[in-house]
Amino acid sequence: MKKEQILNGNVYLEVSMGDIVMQKDMDAIANAANAFLRVGGGVAGAIHKAAGPELEKEAMTKGPINPGQAVITKAYNLPNKHVIHVLGPVYDRDIPHDKLLADCYSNALDLCEKHQLTSIAFPAISTGVFGYPVEEAAPVALKAIYAKMPVLNSVKRIRLVIFNERDYDSHIKALKEL
Ligand code: ADP
């Protein structure tokens, strides 16, 4: 599998090609959720399908959420302990989209720390239906994560899981520019 990683302090940041529901070695995965924490399509559809119907039941009790916000649930039939649901900004609507996107990653990492998790995998939030151009979203995501790495205690490994080759190349470019 294609991947590249860097170390900042005691924490590894990895960019890999793959499917967010196949991250067996991660404590948590992030879901690119909708405000009401309903099943939806894209990443959310794949995550809810793999987790089973109990995920939506629990998640919906935690909504609605605002852009940039993160909430945690159990992971049910997924191979992880938790799912951290974040609401990415809709590119043309939720302003400032770069701050709100950075908040998604930062708030998700805060929840990992609060729950003493050691690892989390993220998809490229907002780059699907929410319309954030991937070449703009990739540096925002990687910079937000990188800035947070020195203050993490329990989290040791962070992975961005990218679904296709073109988006992967954008993220590797942003990783190298950190
Ligand atoms: P958003 O609504 O936040 O834009 P989407 O789910 O529409 O979220 O898409 C976010 C990104 O996740 C897109 O780049 C899409 O290609 C990618 N993606 C879709 N399915 C998966 C998956 N199973 N694993 C990882 N990434 C995925």
Side-chain angles (χ1 to χ4, degrees):
M1 191 182 40
K2 284 177 81 161
K3 64 169 190 178
E4 287 197 34
Q5 66 178 18
I6 59 165
L7 184 62
N8 184 11
N10 292 321
V11 187
Y12 282 100
L13 170 56
E14 179 186 309
V15 172
S16 77
M17 279 268 289
D19 187 326
I20 195 70
V21 303
M22 307 287 282
Q23 308 303 312
K24 297 185 174 62
D25 56 338
M26 294 277 121
D27 274 357
I29 59 170
N31 179 21
N34 51 63
F36 296 98
L37 290 312
R38 301 292 305 269
V39 171
V43 166
I47 288 176
H48 281 278
K49 188 169 175 217
E54 295 299 309
L55 180 64
E56 188 186 44
K57 275 191 204 154
E58 184 187 353
M60 280 179 65
T61 67
K62 316 233 165 175
I65 58 172
N66 297 313
Q69 205 180 335
V71 294
I72 189 166
T73 66
K74 290 184 277 183
Y76 300 95
N77 296 334
L78 284 159
N80 317 98
K81 291 183 193 156
H82 291 281
V83 177
I84 295 184
H85 307 258
V86 301
L87 179 60
V90 174
Y91 187 70
D92 289 334
R93 188 186 71 194
D94 300 318
I95 305 291
H97 42 238
D98 53 350
K99 172 164 191 315
L100 294 170
L101 185 62
D103 285 350
C104 289
Y105 292 95
S106 176
N107 289 331
L109 288 168
D110 284 342
L111 272 181
C112 289
E113 288 287 303
K114 190 173 167 195
H115 291 265
Q116 300 276 293
L117 307 182
T118 62
S119 52
I120 179 167
F122 288 96
I125 295 159
S126 285
T127 64
V129 175
F130 284 1
Y132 211 128
V134 72
E135 60 280 5
E136 278 183 47
V140 173
L142 283 160
K143 280 181 196 161
I145 294 169
Y146 193 77
K148 197 93 190 171
M149 288 165 83
V151 300
L152 300 174
N153 290 309
S154 64
V155 176
K156 303 285 180 231
R157 281 199 302 151
I158 303 164
R159 179 180 295 153
L160 270 165
V161 179
I162 309 302
F163 211 43
N164 66 60
E165 192 100 18
R166 196 184 71 85
D167 294 355
Y168 175 80
D169 291 344
S170 296
H171 283 82
I172 292 298
K173 181 170 178 284
L175 184 73
K176 292 194 165 142
E177 285 170 4
L178 282 174

